[in-house]
């Protein structure tokens, strides 16, 4: 079957009669309902400072799995819900940034710089409308790139890369992530090393579970969700509780009055915004397609680039940072265009690009029946069920974009109230939610203890300026890396230099080295 | 005056950690860096962790050479972290044992609990029967949430425990009531 | 006081146990049953276990809560199951290979008699499979290709199968590059994607073979494959071992006979009943259920454990 023939199959998997459930006698397609639910939840979570999309994804996953069970039928509704959260949270993050100068999500920090000054001038609704328009445009553009690009990359990888080259590609991805994320290359490498080591506990080819000292509790390996949720979510909660204890509880802010602010965007304003939206969408998409670099960096680059061009071309107008509408547009278009492109390495190579992608991979891994990687895009005489899922996923994303265009803005303008929820009450509850969610998935208290251990590790890493994302990506890819290397070694008949005596593999290895060397020089110069 | 040499201590700690893990990799892997199997050389189980430790060690050296601003892991942070972990562990212990203890007490005072009027004397057989199955989770959750909120507010009010109890009830409603075969803590362990 | 509570409950439990065994042939678990599954979530084997659990829940009304314990060829599950109560409230599903070759190779002082074999549900349809565009009709063509100098990559999914592949090559005087991966799905992806030239598949190949994409070059069983009865056996290529294996339900050692027999009846009824969920699934993937149970099964597993020693000895030469 041809690749294009999967488009109707994917649409059918999402909207078709087989996927419908009956609610009050009306047959409704399940996956779009889940996307909608996730989307609304995402906006709410994004708009609540202290909560973020990944937290909601982590807490919902076990519930979703227990509703839909394991198996191929569960994949689209669950992944659709998670994608809804992902998209909603990016949108919602702008709300408190504009209204209260508090970024709802980390990538909305740049939005506060111009969005909040606008709100103080009584143009809050206009700022929200600009954020919405930019966010949705960037997101849609990114999704189109994903849908067009993912299959080509996967097919090229399958066609051109043999086991040794795949091993080298994984090494390159990890080196790249170590080099570009976090405060220094050295710290990135430490995080990668720790993540790999954690992945190797209890695994391996021998029947003796290695690195366990013979203890039964480690023999099954580190529970995947416990380590990921621990470092990413629990670590963040510990850090925030620590901050609250040091700095005290911040008083609640009263919402800004917005009388007489209809927020309508005039055509002349739109014409000023479009170049910024376009540029930032390109920046965000390009950055998103590289594994490991998140939306925060995209927002920073999009904003900085926009500021420079704006200052050069329109020096007579209000500059970025003083309430320029262009500033909101440049930031929001950039951080929203990361999410779609980020799924390119996720789906076609199985390499998660950011935290949201980590949770999508975790969902795929827990449910089973879908193993992201080049094999997903294979076309053959029989129908490839995994490819149907991919196109179902694309359909869900387009549907989520439609929701975003239509009802996203309305929601966004009416949830400012959420920022009044108190963080120091919310965080312990989210912590308990995460603990319970982990327990439900593994049904043993030892998994919760692992969760807390990795939470403490995540706390320490944040305090030591070590980014937790390289740790998580290395943890996810660790066993894949080892297995691919073993297989490459065996398949080449025991060639110890398999990484260096084939041109493509050698090129990847060289690139890894160059990235690390160049980035460590570059970044040591940045330090005063 | 900023604490002197804080980064040095961290680098040293990572060097020790890396070296320790390296030793563990070589000693506790079930096979060496490589093995002979079916007359061929194959990669052994020790290779991958050794590579991981190499990353840690190289990273530590690069980081130590670079210098830069001090990290912010301090005594206050460790005390706060220790306090949080302590409270949670106490809550987990409560979760694990409150239910079985309640069943023991109920047996002692002669209340019969259980399925189909049968005498059920073990918490294990009651682990999916209300109200027994909620006792540990409810008490443990209330303790954890209440204690963490009061720690942030720097005072203990009854309101904090009420909030904890309310949150625990909500969690039970979300995770347990709609699903037959989900087990709340600690019911998979007993 | 706590010890008093404990001892009191002990006495009562003992009384309860006596009264339970008095009412013979009526055994039922005294609470929810923990079903340990030794296969990755979402895969064919996991689905099978969950369907059987559902069928049993519907038929006899016991509450069964599935739980995943994967890794180390089922040994993680076996080691966890060994110490669980043997009152029939904890059982597990693994492959017979777990208690045979794998337990033997792990050499941890535990044998098949530390477990109670309950019943098998289905036999593997293990074939040696390649893509049809390789142009091979049977394993003999692979031997010819290897002899003409082509490096052959043979995908396997367990140490036992790697041993078999090695010995098969040795018997034919050819050198095979044996690539061991995790699970049958990985072998199929490897073969389809061109990372491997051929490999063992235990039933997952059925659809591909029917569609003409894949071909069974040989049966790796002691008997012909149900789907491709004309494919030669490994015996025909001079290999005295085979890869016969089954999905099997086991319990901790020393399970009461009555408890075991009740479980046998429950499992057997579930998988054999026409139109049950598990029966439908097993018929599609494995050509129908195969139930071997009780003492026969126990003896068979003990034999596999002992034979494994011989296979390992031969393969290490």
């Amino acid at each position: 079957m041809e690749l294009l023939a999967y488009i109707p199959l994917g649409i059918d998997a999402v909207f078709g009669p087989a996927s419908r459930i009956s609610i009050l006698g009306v047959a409704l397609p399940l996956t779009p309902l889940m996307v909608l639910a996730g989307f609304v939840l995402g906006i709410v979570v994004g708009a609540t400072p202290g909560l973020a999309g990944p937290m909601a994804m982590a807490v919902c996953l076990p519930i979703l799995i227990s509703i839909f069970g394991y198996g191929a039928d569960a994949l689209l509704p669950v992944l659709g819900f998670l994608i809804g959260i992902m998209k909603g949270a990016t949108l919602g993050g702008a709300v408190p940034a504009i209204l209260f100068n508090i970024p709802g999500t980390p990538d909305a920090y740049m939005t506060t710089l111009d969005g909040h000054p606008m709100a103080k001038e009584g143009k809050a609704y206009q700022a929200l409308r600009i954020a919405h328009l930019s966010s949705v445009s960037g997101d849609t553009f990114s999704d189109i790139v994903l849908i067009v690009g993912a299959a080509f990359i996967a097919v090229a990888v399958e066609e051109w890369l043999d086991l040794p080259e795949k091993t080298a590609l994984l090494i390159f991805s990890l080196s790249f992530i170590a080099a570009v994320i976090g405060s220094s290359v050295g710290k990135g490498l430490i995080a990668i090393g720790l993540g790999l080591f954690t992945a190797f506990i209890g695994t391996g080819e021998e029947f003796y579970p290695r690195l366990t000292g013979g203890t039964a509790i480690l023999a099954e390996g580190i529970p995947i969700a416990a380590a990921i949720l621990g470092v990413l979510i629990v670590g963040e909660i510990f850090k925030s509780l620590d901050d609250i204890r040091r700095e005290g509880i911040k008083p609640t802010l009263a919402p800004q009055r917005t009388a007489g602010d209809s927020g309508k965007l005039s055509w002349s304003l739109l014409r000023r915004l479009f170049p910024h939206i376009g540029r930032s969408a390109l920046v965000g998409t390009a950055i998103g397609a590289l594994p490991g670099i998140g939306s925060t960096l995209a927002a920073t680059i999009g904003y900085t680039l926009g500021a420079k061009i704006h200052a050069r071309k329109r020096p007579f107008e209000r500059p970025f940072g003083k309430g320029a509408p262009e500033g909101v547009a440049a930031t929001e278009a950039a951080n929203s265009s990361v999410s779609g492109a980020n799924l390119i390495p996720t789906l076609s190579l199985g390499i998660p690009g950011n935290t949201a992608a980590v949770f999508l991979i975790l969902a795929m891994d827990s449910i089973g029946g879908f193993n992201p990687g080049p094999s997903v895009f294979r076309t053959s005489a029989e129908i490839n069920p995994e490819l149907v899922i991919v196109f179902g996923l694309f359909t869900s994303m387009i549907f989520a974009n439609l929701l975003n265009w239509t009802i996203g803005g309305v929601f966004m303008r009416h949830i400012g109230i959420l920022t009044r929820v108190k963080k120091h009450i919310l965080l312990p509850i989210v912590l308990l939610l995460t603990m319970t969610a982990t327990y439900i998935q593994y049904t043993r208290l030892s998994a919760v203890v692992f969760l807390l251990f990795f939470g403490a590790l995540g706390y320490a890493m944040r305090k030591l300026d070590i980014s937790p994302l390289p740790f998580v990506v290395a943890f996810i890819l660790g066993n894949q890396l080892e297995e691919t290397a073993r297989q490459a070694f065996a398949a080449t008949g025991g060639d110890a230099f398999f990484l260096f005596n084939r041109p493509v593999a050698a090129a990847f290895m060289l690139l890894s080295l160059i990235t690390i060397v160049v980035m460590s020089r570059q970044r040591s110069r940045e330090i005063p | 005056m900023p604490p002197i040499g804080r980064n040095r201590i961290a680098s040293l700690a990572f060097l020790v950690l890396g070296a320790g893990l390296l030793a563990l990799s070589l000693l506790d892997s079930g096979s060496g860096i490589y093995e002979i199997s079916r007359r061929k050389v194959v990669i052994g189980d020790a290779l991958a962790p050794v590579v991981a430790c190499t990353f840690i060690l190289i990273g530590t050296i690069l980081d130590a050479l670079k210098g830069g601003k001090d990290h912010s892991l301090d005594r206050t942070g460790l005390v706060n972290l220790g306090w949080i972990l302590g409270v949670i562990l106490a809550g987990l212990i409560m979760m694990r044992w409150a239910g079985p203890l309640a069943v023991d007490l109920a047996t002692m005072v002669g209340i019969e609990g259980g399925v189909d009027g049968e005498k059920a004397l073990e918490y294990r057989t009651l682990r999916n029967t209300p109200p027994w199955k909620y006792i540990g989770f409810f008490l443990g959750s209330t303790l954890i949430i209440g204690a963490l909120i009061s720690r942030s507010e720097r005072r203990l009010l009854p309101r904090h425990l009420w909030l904890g109890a309310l949150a625990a009830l909500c969690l039970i409603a979300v995770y347990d009531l709609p699903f037959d075969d989900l087990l709340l803590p600690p019911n998979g362990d007993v | 006081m706590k010890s008093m509570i404990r001892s009191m409950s002990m006495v009562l439990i003992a009384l309860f146990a006596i009264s339970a065994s008095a009412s013979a042939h009526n055994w039922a678990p005294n609470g929810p049953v923990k079903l340990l599954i030794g296969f990755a979530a979402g895969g064919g084997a996991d689905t099978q276990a969950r369907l059987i659990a559902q069928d049993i829940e519907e038929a006899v009304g016991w509450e069964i809560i599935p739980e995943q314990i994967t890794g180390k060829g089922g040994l993680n599950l076996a080691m966890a199951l060994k110490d669980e109560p043997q009152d029939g409230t904890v059982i597990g599903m693994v492959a017979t290979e777990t208690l045979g070759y794998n337990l033997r190779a792990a050499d941890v002082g535990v044998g098949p008699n530390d477990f109670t074999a309950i019943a098998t549900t289905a036999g593997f349809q293990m074939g040696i499979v390649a893509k049809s565009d390789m142009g091979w009709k049977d394993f003999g063509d692979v031997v010819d290709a290897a002899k003409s100098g082509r490096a052959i990559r043979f995908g396997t999914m367990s140490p036992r199968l790697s041993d078999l592949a090695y010995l098969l090559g040795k018997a034919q005087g050819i050198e095979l590059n044996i690539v061991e991966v995790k699970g049958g799905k990985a072998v199929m992806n490897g073969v389809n994607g061109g990372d491997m030239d051929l490999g063992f598949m235990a039933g997952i190949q059925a659809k591909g073979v029917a569609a003409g994409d894949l071909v069974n070059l040989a049966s790796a069983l002691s008997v012909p494959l149900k789907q491709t009865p004309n494919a030669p056996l490994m015996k025909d290529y001079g290999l005295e071992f085979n890869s016969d294996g089954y999905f099997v339900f086991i319990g901790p050692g020393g399970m009461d006979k009555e408890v075991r027999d009740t479980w046998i009846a429950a499992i057997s009824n579930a998988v054999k009943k026409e139109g049950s969920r598990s029966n439908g699934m097993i018929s599609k993937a494995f050509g129908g259920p195969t139930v071997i149970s009780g003492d026969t099964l126990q003896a068979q597993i003990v034999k596999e454990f002992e034979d494994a020693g011989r296979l390992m000895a031969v393969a290490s030469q």
Side-chain angles (χ1 to χ4, degrees):
Chain A
M1 276 185 57
E2 288 295 309
L3 202 57
L4 293 180
Y6 282 90
I7 296 174
L9 290 178
I11 296 174
D12 194 56
V14 173
F15 290 100
S19 65
R20 287 184 198 167
I21 54 156
S22 176
I23 295 174
L24 304 173
V26 187
L28 291 167
L30 178 60
T31 305
L33 284 179
M34 294 305 293
V35 175
L36 175 64
F39 182 68
V40 173
L41 180 68
I43 295 182
V44 170
V45 166
T48 313
L51 296 185
M55 283 190 190
M57 293 168 99
V59 167
C60 291
L61 188 56
I63 308 187
L64 292 170
I65 290 177
S66 50
I67 297 176
F68 295 104
Y70 299 85
D73 294 344
L75 278 165
L76 278 178
V78 173
L79 293 176
F81 189 85
L82 297 182
I83 283 174
I85 294 183
M86 190 170 91
K87 290 191 184 286
T90 318
L91 197 61
V95 177
I98 290 171
L99 296 184
F100 306 109
N101 206 19
I102 306 167
T105 48
D107 57 15
Y109 170 70
M110 294 285 170
T111 311
T112 61
L113 299 183
D114 289 289
H116 190 60
M118 283 182 77
K120 280 204 285 199
E121 289 170 22
K123 290 194 278 188
Y125 273 12
Q126 192 182 49
L128 286 175
R129 273 185 197 268
I130 293 173
H132 176 240
L133 173 76
S134 320
S135 183
V136 179
S137 311
D139 194 15
T140 309
F141 175 74
S142 182
D143 284 356
I144 293 171
V145 173
L146 162 73
I147 293 168
V148 176
F152 284 108
I153 291 188
V155 170
V157 164
E158 194 70 334
E159 188 76 13
W160 298 105
L161 304 191
D162 190 13
L163 291 167
E165 287 84 3
K166 283 178 189 162
T167 315
L169 175 63
L170 284 171
I171 294 176
F172 173 56
S173 309
L174 289 178
S175 317
F176 186 79
I177 291 170
V180 298
I181 302 183
S183 60
S184 78
V185 178
K187 288 192 162 129
L189 285 175
I190 295 177
I192 295 269
L194 286 174
L196 289 175
F197 192 89
T198 310
F200 295 147
I201 294 173
T203 54
E205 209 138 89
E206 298 289 317
F207 283 111
Y208 173 74
R210 68 179 163 201
L211 311 173
T212 59
T215 52
I217 198 164
L218 289 169
E220 290 165 42
I222 306 291
I224 297 175
I228 295 177
L229 298 191
V231 169
L232 290 181
I233 311 284
V234 178
E236 184 64 36
I237 294 176
F238 286 174
K239 165 97 175 7
S240 304
L241 287 175
D242 179 33
D243 290 344
I244 291 174
R245 175 81 189 173
R246 286 165 196 258
E247 295 156 16
I249 296 157
K250 301 237 168 70
T252 319
L253 299 158
Q256 214 83 37
R257 284 276 135 228
T258 49
D261 169 26
S262 74
K264 287 266 183 290
L265 305 179
S266 70
W267 178 240
S268 62
L269 177 62
L270 285 177
R271 275 191 24 207
R272 273 164 51 203
L273 296 179
F274 280 140
H276 288 279
I277 295 178
R279 180 180 333 104
S280 282
L282 277 174
V283 167
T285 305
I287 285 179
L290 297 171
I293 317 184
S295 44
T296 310
L297 183 67
T300 314
I301 295 184
Y303 183 85
T304 322
L305 208 60
K308 275 186 192 154
I309 293 176
H310 183 69
R312 200 180 63 224
K313 285 198 174 162
R314 295 174 180 270
F316 44 88
E317 271 177 35
R318 186 185 289 229
F320 273 37
K322 303 269 189 247
E326 290 91 341
V328 177
T331 310
E332 283 298 311
N335 69 19
S336 303
S337 58
V338 167
S339 65
N342 230 310
L343 293 187
I344 296 178
T346 309
L347 289 177
S348 59
L349 305 173
I351 299 172
N354 63 3
T355 334
V358 165
F359 284 97
L360 290 179
I361 288 211
L362 188 60
M364 294 167 186
D365 186 74
S366 307
I367 297 172
F370 186 88
N371 303 302
S375 68
V376 159
F377 289 87
R378 181 172 302 122
T379 49
S380 58
E382 41 165 335
I383 291 179
N384 174 359
E386 288 183 314
L387 194 49
V388 177
I389 299 283
V390 169
F391 278 91
L393 217 53
F394 290 164
T395 312
S396 311
M397 296 182 81
I398 294 172
F399 178 74
N401 278 329
L402 290 179
L403 290 178
N404 222 338
W405 281 107
T406 48
I407 59 170
V410 184
F411 267 101
M412 212 177 150
R413 288 190 287 278
H414 292 94
I415 51 168
I417 187 84
L418 281 169
T419 38
R420 310 187 68 175
V421 180
K422 284 190 177 138
K423 207 170 162 183
H424 75 284
I425 294 177
L426 210 52
L427 287 176
I429 297 175
V430 175
L431 175 66
L432 199 70
L433 267 169
T434 313
M435 285 166 56
T436 313
T438 307
Y439 188 87
I440 281 171
Q441 196 167 350
Y442 294 100
T443 55
R444 42 179 213 267
L445 280 172
S446 60
V448 179
V449 174
F450 276 119
L451 178 81
L452 295 173
F453 173 84
F454 284 99
L457 181 69
Y459 170 85
M461 287 170 77
R462 281 169 175 81
K463 284 290 191 177
L464 292 169
D465 289 330
I466 300 178
S467 167
L469 193 61
F471 173 91
V472 171
V473 174
F475 176 67
I476 290 177
L477 294 181
N479 287 307
Q480 194 186 338
L481 174 65
E482 184 186 15
E483 281 161 27
T484 319
R486 273 180 200 275
Q487 291 159 20
F489 185 71
T492 53
D495 178 358
F497 296 100
F498 68 86
L499 286 174
F500 306 102
N501 56 15
R502 285 141 215 273
V504 180
F508 278 132
M509 295 307 285
L510 192 65
L511 277 174
S512 316
L513 195 66
I514 291 175
T515 320
I516 289 190
V517 171
V518 170
M519 290 306 283
S520 17
R521 290 186 157 199
Q522 180 97 18
R523 300 178 67 185
S524 60
R525 251 189 277 130
E526 285 167 19
I527 296 183
Chain B
M1 199 179 88
I4 294 166
R6 206 189 254 175
N7 281 350
R8 288 266 165 83
I9 296 174
S11 298
L12 203 63
F14 275 116
L15 272 185
V16 172
L17 178 73
L21 294 181
L22 186 66
L24 182 70
S25 309
L26 291 169
L27 295 176
D28 193 35
S29 285
S31 61
I33 305 245
Y34 69 92
E35 291 286 296
I36 306 287
S37 162
R38 302 176 194 102
R39 285 210 184 151
K40 284 202 168 162
V41 180
V42 295
I43 293 178
D45 270 6
L47 180 64
V50 165
V51 170
C53 295
T54 317
F55 273 97
I56 299 178
L57 292 172
I58 294 178
T60 307
I61 293 168
L62 277 183
D63 192 51
L65 290 179
K66 190 208 72 175
K69 73 171 180 14
D70 268 358
H71 65 75
S72 53
L73 186 63
D74 56 7
R75 190 183 295 260
T76 320
L78 290 177
V79 169
N80 282 342
L81 181 66
W83 204 92
I84 295 170
L85 288 176
V87 162
I88 299 174
L89 284 181
L92 286 180
I93 291 169
M94 174 93 105
M95 261 186 208
R96 175 66 183 83
W97 294 108
L101 210 66
V103 173
D104 279 356
L105 279 173
T107 316
M108 201 174 60
V109 298
I111 301 171
E112 289 180 357
V115 216
D116 306 332
E118 241 172 42
K119 255 202 173 124
L121 302 151
E122 272 185 285
Y123 183 76
R124 202 167 87 84
T125 60
L126 293 170
R127 69 178 195 264
N128 211 5
T129 312
W132 305 105
K133 65 173 176 173
Y134 299 129
I135 293 174
F137 182 73
F138 177 77
L139 292 176
S141 305
T142 308
L143 175 68
I144 293 174
I145 295 180
L148 289 180
I149 294 177
S150 69
R151 169 94 176 157
S152 293
E153 293 198 0
R154 291 176 180 265
R155 60 189 167 166
L156 177 61
L157 300 176
R159 195 165 65 90
H160 299 149
L161 288 178
W162 287 120
L163 272 170
L166 186 70
L169 288 178
C170 291
L171 281 185
I172 290 172
V174 169
Y175 281 116
D176 192 76
L177 293 183
F179 310 112
D180 284 345
D181 53 357
L182 284 196
L183 289 177
L184 284 174
N187 298 332
D189 284 276
V190 293
Chain C
M1 159 137 137
K2 205 171 158 196
S3 67
M4 196 184 80
I5 301 175
R6 282 259 161 261
S7 54
M8 248 176 73
S9 12
M10 282 321 224
V11 170
L12 287 164
I13 289 164
L15 284 173
F16 182 67
I18 291 167
S19 70
S21 61
S23 60
H25 300 296
N26 244 335
W27 179 85
N30 60 352
V33 174
K34 204 194 280 192
L35 168 61
L36 308 178
I37 302 174
F39 304 92
D46 170 63
T47 314
Q48 188 196 133
R50 286 171 193 273
L51 292 179
I52 292 173
Q54 279 183 21
D55 286 338
I56 295 177
E57 281 191 331
E58 268 167 35
V60 293
W62 304 344
E63 187 182 2
I64 302 178
I65 302 176
E67 187 180 315
Q68 228 88 28
I69 301 190
T70 58
K72 299 287 170 208
L75 282 185
N76 283 339
L77 184 150
M79 299 319 269
L81 180 68
K82 183 171 65 77
D83 302 323
E84 292 279 357
Q86 73 266 60
D87 58 358
T89 56
V90 188
I91 59 170
M93 189 177 103
V94 289
T96 42
E97 194 173 280
T98 299
L99 297 189
Y101 187 102
N102 297 354
L103 200 52
R104 178 80 187 233
D107 192 25
V108 284
V110 179
N113 284 328
D114 292 310
F115 300 90
T116 305
I118 300 174
T120 65
T121 59
F124 298 145
Q125 283 296 300
M126 188 80 75
I128 298 176
V129 186
K131 259 201 325 193
S132 33
D133 31 338
M134 300 295 281
W136 295 330
K137 297 281 169 261
D138 61 28
F139 189 71
D141 297 336
V142 181
V143 174
D144 293 342
K147 283 192 170 151
S148 66
R150 188 188 159 125
I152 302 282
R153 296 177 181 181
F154 197 131
T156 71
M157 49 197 159
S158 71
R160 176 182 176 221
L161 292 173
S162 298
D163 279 356
L164 293 176
Y166 167 70
L167 291 174
L168 187 62
K170 207 170 149 195
Q172 290 295 312
I174 56 171
E175 186 111 333
L176 297 167
N177 289 331
I178 296 163
V179 181
E180 193 175 307
V181 298
K182 299 255 182 309
K185 183 82 190 287
V187 175
M188 190 161 86
N189 280 340
V191 167
N192 272 327
D195 289 344
M196 302 158 198
D197 298 307
L198 73 167
F200 285 116
M201 298 184 205
I204 195 173
Q205 76 274 32
K207 257 172 140 186
V209 171
D213 291 341
L214 298 173
V215 51
N216 278 317
L217 300 173
S219 162
L221 306 173
S222 56
V223 293
L225 293 169
K226 288 177 185 167
Q227 192 180 18
T228 324
N230 293 331
L233 307 181
M234 291 205 296
K235 198 165 52 183
D236 304 335
Y237 296 101
L239 185 64
E240 55 163 329
F241 299 97
N242 61 58
S243 73
D244 289 2
Y246 305 87
F247 293 108
V248 61
F249 279 87
I250 57 174
M255 194 186 263
D256 191 74
K257 243 196 174 56
E258 189 202 339
V259 176
R260 184 196 71 183
D261 291 344
T262 316
W263 269 114
I264 293 176
I267 292 166
S268 159
N269 289 341
V271 297
K272 282 185 175 165
K273 188 178 161 200
E274 292 273 333
S276 78
R277 299 171 223 234
S278 56
N279 180 276
M281 192 254 163
I282 289 172
S283 303
K284 238 198 250 166
F286 305 100
T290 310
V291 180
I292 308 167
S293 60
D295 295 339
T296 324
L297 177 61
Q298 190 84 35
Q300 189 175 320
I301 291 178
V302 170
K303 184 167 181 299
E304 200 182 316
F305 182 81
E306 318 229 286
D307 287 349
R310 211 159 50 85
L311 174 58
M312 275 174 241
V314 180
S316 65
Q317 284 164 18

